[in-house]
Amino acid sequence: MIHQQRIAKFLVMQSTTLLMLSLTTLGIAAEPTSPETTSPFVGNWAIKLPDGSAGWLKLSIINDKPTGELWSVGSPKTLSDLAINGNQIQFLRKCAVGPPEYEGGPPSGKRIDCVHKGVLNGDTMALVIEQPLPDGTIQELPFSGKRLPAIGRAPDLTNIELGEPIELFNGRNLDGWHLTNPKQINGWKAINGELVNTTPKLDFQPYSRYGNLQTDQEFTDFHLSIEFNVPSGGNSGIYLRGMYEAQVVDRDSKMQGIQGVGAIFGRIAPSSNAGRPGGEWQKYEITLVDRHATVILNGTKVIDNQPIDGCTNGALDADETKPGALYLQGDHTAVRYRNIVLRPIFKPWQANPELVKSTSDRRPEFNYDESKVPDFTLPDPLVSTDGETVVTPTQWNEVRRPELLELFRNHVYGRRPNTKYSVTFEQTAENPHALNGAATGRQMNAVITIDNRSFSFPFVVFVPNHIETPAPAVIHINNRYFTSMEKAIDEHDPFWPVKSIIDRGYATASFHTSDVDPDKKDGYANGIRSFFANGAPPQDNAWRSLSAWGWGASRVLDYLETLDVIDSTRVAVSGHSRGGKTSLWAASEDSRFAIAYSNDSGCGGAALSRRAYGETVARITSSFPHWFCKPFSSYAGREADLPVDQHELIALIAPRGVYVASADQDLWADPKGEYQSVVASAPVFRLLEKTSIDMTQMPALGQQRIVGQTGYHIRAGGHGLGDDDWNWFLNFADSIFK
């Protein structure tokens, strides 16, 4: 026996059973905790025990005294001899020290008192068990703990989005499943379309030589539909995320209430016993979101969006911030399962609060706080300037759309000149066997002629070789650099991944923005705008660089129209950042573009100006005055007076396709404002008898949303354009073109 005198300075947790240390006294009203009685140990902790099993710890201080309870097979036990001193903690815990009955199993033998000690370091604990050995020596077994976030409010289940159904069991074999401990006996078999545990074990005692079965895949939040059949007196369990056990027993089991059918074992009791007798098929419909469970048993809701206060004994992992597998108990009694279908749940994206704070602290002159977005009313794209409501496609095409084009020309992007010109094309290089023979590459010049003057800019084109019908194409507006034909062949560039685009069956072309109009404040004299004006300075409402770059994309499209191997009715225009702003305006000015793809385009692109979130009209027009016509700058700080907003830019492209993409860490571009523009354009698509995204809730991070003629995704990471973005966009293009 280890004497209580040794328990003065520490607290820890051990056991091959799952523990829960709760720092609230049971059934006793407590006085509010004063600052003097707080401790950095207070909170929930995920524990990884020395044998690799999971533990769960919750700690509080009440009236200057640490209190706790141990979670073990459904019955809480108050901990005693618990002490904290600064960043150190210690307590006694009984544990078995004998060898396991089978390889990988829990220790056996008599349980004896063992001292557990821990040292706190921020949100982690380094712990050790002092385990007495038969020879009188002490063996130290290290383990660790991680602080867990508190459970939040109950989620609004009306705002969740279900993913595609995943059939976890194919009815034929165990593909997609494996034993949690490969050293145990695999009693699981696929029999007549059922997943059957054939163990001969009949008693309720946990642990046996027969193993538990888990999915290869891991999940976070989901809706699970599963049918089970347990014999009379049988006992099994379904572990959600490998952490929370949905109890599997029959209606008349000796295990009832918080341990009975319909329960999250030991954590949440069902509101009623909706079970069926042993030997009959039963069905669970379980929704798990933000550590809250909703359980429908045999058609009766028995748990309604209630928080799960910690994982269950036998969990694979106690870290509730991590995804986990679905696992089925095989070390209890026999059981049968069928029709196991899981649908992942995607929660709407929200800006990371820590990123919001750090970005706000770094750039306090700009707003990144959603609560500080000003109240605003968007102009109605279906109400003309004279107040008439647009109710027919003819009105849109003949009245409102031309009206909006003029408003954007006069107030945002400027008016292109109507000077007559001619365009011809010169090939400067060709490789008919580019990309290991998959494509023909050409380096070209577009030559613009007005009278006896000329201006040219280079572009590159790749066309797939092995096609039976004309291919669709993507014209990429590259705002970073010019990529030569040879460089595009020799080097993979995520910003313009030529081979990936070709492999998807698309032709592709690209040009550099500055080759058309220099991307700098003082570059006017060397660009296409000056060429058209014959050197005269621009008028206030004359086109600026964004419009000039879009004009350049149209000239590349002129060339693609000359190629029989390209279907010029299926051409998309794409761009990132300032190139993304350009792609939207290019498709608005030129209806030949069948899709516009705008990536991280932000202010002046897809993001609503009236939100004044991240980059603003004031900042963008002062830093990049050459992008927009002069009148746009007059709306700095008074965005509500703009006669248009960016949802109407997207509406101008309807009924053609529009794809908008954002990045999780790119708050400067206002991802929410970009998405809201897509949603606010929906009435125009609807008027033109096309479906589009109209759900107000954003999709989850990394979850693509495609509805009819519009698509959207927000990916992890910062401001940029990469392979994942291209893959998602081409998925959308496929939905439009193929």
Side-chain angles (χ1 to χ4, degrees):
M1 175 66 67
I2 298 177
H3 297 290
Q4 292 184 4
Q5 288 85 343
R6 298 187 60 185
I7 317 291
K9 293 184 171 174
F10 307 169
L11 176 161
V12 182
M13 189 181 145
Q14 183 287 15
S15 174
T16 53
T17 61
L18 177 69
L19 333 132
M20 169 204 169
L21 237 126
S22 175
L23 302 205
T24 30
T25 50
L26 300 177
I28 301 175
E31 295 295 327
T33 302
S34 67
E36 292 76 17
T37 62
T38 60
S39 166
F41 283 95
V42 169
N44 303 338
W45 297 85
I47 304 297
K48 181 69 73 173
L49 296 169
D51 63 359
S53 59
W56 192 83
L57 179 69
K58 186 174 183 179
L59 183 64
S60 301
I61 306 282
I62 303 294
N63 296 329
D64 294 326
K65 180 181 178 182
T67 61
E69 65 183 28
L70 171 67
W71 181 265
S72 178
V73 196
S75 53
K77 297 179 181 178
T78 301
L79 292 177
S80 59
D81 299 327
L82 173 64
I84 293 174
N85 184 358
N87 70 334
Q88 300 181 71
I89 191 167
Q90 178 173 312
F91 67 95
L92 280 180
R93 165 71 179 146
K94 289 187 179 293
C95 55
V97 298
E101 296 180 1
Y102 55 89
E103 189 172 358
S108 63
K110 182 179 179 181
R111 300 172 65 81
I112 62 175
D113 286 326
C114 297
V115 174
H116 297 58
K117 300 178 180 179
V119 177
L120 182 70
N121 181 15
D123 288 334
T124 62
M125 273 195 284
L127 302 144
V128 66
I129 300 172
E130 294 184 348
Q131 186 179 84
L133 298 178
D135 62 5
T137 61
I138 300 293
Q139 174 181 245
E140 292 190 347
L141 302 174
F143 62 111
S144 61
K146 172 187 173 182
R147 189 188 303 276
L148 294 171
I151 301 176
R153 294 180 178 178
D156 180 358
L157 299 183
T158 64
N159 285 328
I160 63 175
E161 182 177 353
L162 293 175
E164 292 298 316
I166 302 172
E167 292 188 2
L168 296 179
F169 173 56
N170 62 23
R172 302 183 305 274
N173 52 47
L174 301 186
D175 287 355
W177 299 79
H178 64 275
L179 288 184
T180 59
N181 178 4
K183 304 295 185 181
Q184 291 178 278
I185 299 171
N186 187 357
W188 294 94
K189 299 182 184 300
I191 302 174
N192 297 326
E194 299 172 5
L195 183 57
V196 181
N197 181 23
T198 61
T199 175
K201 184 172 178 288
L202 298 176
D203 61 77
F204 266 54
Q205 292 300 314
Y207 310 124
S208 77
R209 296 183 182 275
Y210 283 78
N212 302 320
L213 193 69
Q214 72 176 77
T215 57
D216 295 342
Q217 296 185 69
E218 293 187 335
F219 308 97
T220 304
D221 293 337
F222 54 80
H223 174 82
L224 174 69
S225 176
I226 185 170
E227 296 177 32
F228 63 92
N229 189 320
V230 65
S232 180
N235 177 21
S236 188
I238 303 162
Y239 276 72
L240 314 172
R241 284 175 57 196
M243 300 177 188
Y244 315 116
E245 182 189 359
Q247 177 67 307
V248 173
V249 292
D250 63 283
R251 180 193 64 190
D252 305 311
S253 170
K254 67 180 182 181
M255 304 183 82
Q256 295 288 328
I258 205 167
Q259 296 184 346
V261 67
I264 301 299
F265 186 86
R267 294 300 188 189
I268 308 175
S271 58
S272 64
N273 185 339
R276 293 173 180 165
E280 292 189 14
W281 282 101
Q282 305 193 61
K283 184 177 182 179
Y284 268 137
E285 297 278 350
I286 302 174
T287 302
L288 180 66
V289 182
D290 290 344
R291 295 153 67 185
H292 287 71
T294 299
V295 177
I296 297 174
L297 173 63
N298 300 321
T300 299
K301 184 181 289 185
V302 295
I303 295 176
D304 189 3
N305 204 13
Q306 295 182 43
I308 309 176
D309 192 22
C311 52
T312 309
N313 180 43
L316 299 177
D317 197 316
D319 187 347
E320 296 173 89
T321 66
K322 294 165 58 177
L326 185 78
Y327 102 69
L328 310 175
Q329 280 185 332
D331 59 3
H332 284 45
T333 66
V335 66
R336 296 149 62 197
Y337 294 100
R338 68 184 184 189
N339 297 327
I340 309 173
V341 179
L342 182 146
R343 298 185 69 180
I345 285 176
F346 303 111
K347 291 172 289 185
W349 175 85
Q350 291 183 329
N352 184 322
E354 294 181 1
L355 179 62
V356 169
K357 183 179 185 307
S358 63
T359 308
S360 299
D361 290 345
R362 189 174 68 253
R363 307 187 76 171
E365 69 273 28
F366 300 103
N367 176 44
Y368 297 94
D369 186 340
E370 201 60 43
S371 68
K372 296 179 181 178
V373 171
D375 293 332
F376 61 87
T377 300
L378 290 177
D380 190 333
L382 293 179
V383 175
S384 63
T385 53
D386 63 5
E388 184 176 356
T389 300
V390 177
V391 295
T392 69
T394 299
Q395 281 181 288
W396 169 259
N397 290 319
E398 295 182 1
V399 178
R400 183 54 173 161
R401 187 178 187 279
E403 187 176 77
L404 281 174
L405 270 174
E406 285 301 299
L407 289 171
F408 275 103
R409 287 166 179 159
N410 290 331
H411 295 274
V412 184
Y413 301 109
R415 182 180 303 280
R416 293 176 181 176
N418 57 11
T419 307
K420 292 183 178 180
Y421 65 92
S422 63
V423 58
T424 57
F425 303 100
E426 300 173 347
Q427 180 176 298
T428 59
E430 182 179 36
N431 185 335
H433 306 292
L435 306 172
N436 297 318
T440 293
R442 296 189 184 98
Q443 192 152 312
M444 306 292 299
N445 280 332
V447 181
I448 315 303
T449 302
I450 299 176
D451 298 328
N452 61 348
R453 298 180 297 113
S454 64
F455 178 95
S456 66
F457 68 91
F459 63 96
V460 175
V461 177
F462 287 89
V463 178
N465 282 336
H466 308 295
I467 54 175
E468 297 179 357
T469 58
V474 180
I475 296 174
H476 183 51
I477 301 168
N478 194 322
N479 60 291
R480 291 184 174 177
Y481 37 68
F482 174 72
T483 303
S484 69
M485 179 187 70
E486 290 304 321
K487 185 175 182 181
I489 293 171
D490 295 339
E491 300 177 18
H492 173 74
D493 182 0
F495 199 72
W496 183 41
V498 173
K499 186 176 186 303
S500 299
I501 298 171
I502 291 291
D503 288 345
R504 293 287 293 262
Y506 290 78
T508 186
S510 181
F511 68 95
H512 182 211
T513 51
S514 287
D515 289 333
V516 175
D517 206 60
D519 190 5
K520 52 185 179 180
K521 298 178 184 179
D522 58 356
Y524 174 75
N526 298 316
I528 191 67
R529 294 183 294 128
S530 177
F531 171 74
F532 266 88
N534 200 15
Q539 299 296 313
D540 284 354
N541 69 341
W543 63 333
R544 293 309 198 263
S545 292
L546 292 178
S547 185
W549 301 335
W551 178 91
S554 290
R555 304 293 68 80
V556 176
L557 178 54
D558 290 342
Y559 173 71
L560 297 189
E561 286 186 322
T562 70
L563 303 179
D564 292 338
V565 293
I566 290 180
D567 181 354
S568 60
T569 67
R570 296 187 294 158
V571 177
V573 59
S574 67
H576 164 71
S577 192
R578 62 200 68 180
K581 307 178 203 296
T582 301
S583 68
L584 293 173
W585 184 237
S588 297
E589 285 272 31
D590 190 340
S591 60
R592 293 177 299 167
F593 287 115
I595 297 176
Y597 169 30
S598 168
N599 189 82
D600 299 356
S601 59
C603 182
L608 294 172
S609 297
R610 281 167 168 77
R611 279 175 49 81
Y613 185 104
E615 190 170 27
T616 61
V617 172
R619 197 273 182 182
I620 203 169
T621 55
S622 60
S623 297
F624 306 102
H626 58 293
W627 288 0
F628 303 94
C629 65
K630 184 70 172 177
F632 191 48
S633 63
S634 69
Y635 296 100
R638 59 183 197 95
E639 287 84 357
D641 294 332
L642 265 167
V644 292
D645 214 323
Q646 301 309 105
H647 65 300
E648 293 172 308
L649 177 64
I650 293 174
L652 283 171
I653 305 170
R656 293 164 290 145
V658 181
Y659 193 81
V660 174
S662 308
D664 178 46
Q665 297 176 24
D666 189 13
L667 302 185
W668 184 243
D670 186 14
K672 186 172 182 178
E674 293 178 313
Y675 180 77
Q676 287 181 341
S677 273
V678 177
V679 173
S681 70
V684 177
F685 284 92
R686 192 177 306 118
L687 176 72
L688 300 176
E689 300 180 346
K690 296 292 184 179
T691 58
S692 67
I693 294 172
D694 60 4
M695 297 85 88
T696 57
Q697 292 287 341
M698 292 182 70
L701 181 66
Q703 179 66 21
Q704 185 177 38
R705 178 173 290 170
I706 297 175
V707 179
Q709 297 299 103
T710 61
Y712 179 85
H713 75 254
I714 179 166
R715 63 159 169 80
H719 191 70
L721 174 63
D723 290 319
D724 287 342
D725 297 303
W726 278 104
N727 184 58
W728 278 317
F729 164 64
L730 291 174
N731 288 344
F732 173 74
D734 286 349
S735 74
I736 301 291
F737 289 157
K738 298 181 178 181

